[in-house]
Amino acid sequence: MTTDALASTSEPTDRQVPVVVLVSGSGTLLQALLDAAADPVYGVRIAAVGADRPCTGLDRAERGGIPTFVVRPADFADRAAWDVALAEQVAAADPRFVVTAGFMRILGPATLGAQPVVNTHPALLPSFPGAHGVRDALAYGVKVTGTTCHVVDAGVDTGPIIEQRVVAVEDDDTEESLHERIKVQERDLLVDVVSRLAREGFVVEGRRVRIGQD
């Protein structure tokens, strides 16, 4: 559901649910969330944007007046210490949940144990996890692929699935052309799911995510 569609069917809410968004790169997924959250009907307040490095995504947040922070792995003795520091920065914003939007680090138990973390992946999980989901799907010869929104766990793209969108693979697709079409669906999916999770609440029961229960 787009923000415009949401606005036409819902009344504004006084309860803006705080979320933290983590980024590593250009921040196009973040920008979709920033644009949606500008409408009070959306029901989400982006409380802070964090990163593992200086990046364009942080610039987008700062232009929108959103507090930002950077926790660089190189500044810590090991991954565990970095994870604890990241968890502390996230906790300072007191989010209901965290969204990783192009965040290219595996989160550890300190961050994952504090609040739910939501991610998108450019393939139909559990098929083609990892950093090259689009390339791997195309190489395998699938006729459809897509994007998945899921709750992050300790594995790589192995967490419970929230929702998926399907994208057809064309005969003349390259990795780049297919990925561009997936990105359109990925942005729309993330905007929709984040609003639903915030407005309706959710619980994770084993492999199932039940929206509308909290």
Side-chain angles (χ1 to χ4, degrees), residues 76-92:
F76 299 89
D78 53 31
R79 182 172 174 270
W82 169 79
D83 181 48
V84 169
L86 179 64
E88 290 173 349
Q89 288 284 351
V90 169

Side-chain angles (χ1 to χ4, degrees), residues 108-170:
T111 301
L112 292 177
Q115 63 281 302
V117 180
V118 175
N119 182 54
T120 58
H121 178 72
L124 295 177
L125 296 173
S127 298
F128 312 115
H132 304 292
V134 178
R135 183 188 68 188
D136 294 345
L138 191 61
Y140 197 84
V142 298
K143 297 303 181 183
V144 295
T145 184
T147 181
T148 302
C149 190
H150 65 99
V151 176
V152 178
D153 64 8
V156 178
D157 299 322
T158 56
I161 292 170
I162 303 170
E163 190 175 327
Q164 295 177 304
R165 301 277 175 89
V166 174
V167 174
V169 180
E170 305 294 342

Side-chain angles (χ1 to χ4, degrees), residues 189-203:
L189 175 63
L190 185 61
V191 167
D192 182 25
V193 167
V194 167
S195 178
R196 290 172 59 205
L197 296 178
R199 290 157 57 89
E200 301 175 37
F202 65 101
V203 295

Side-chain angles (χ1 to χ4, degrees), residues 2 40 50 60-61 68 76 82 88 91 102 104 110 135 155 173 194 209:
T2 65
R60 292 177 186 269
T68 63
F76 299 89
W82 169 79
E88 290 173 349
M104 303 305 293
R135 183 188 68 188
D173 261 329
V194 167
V209 181

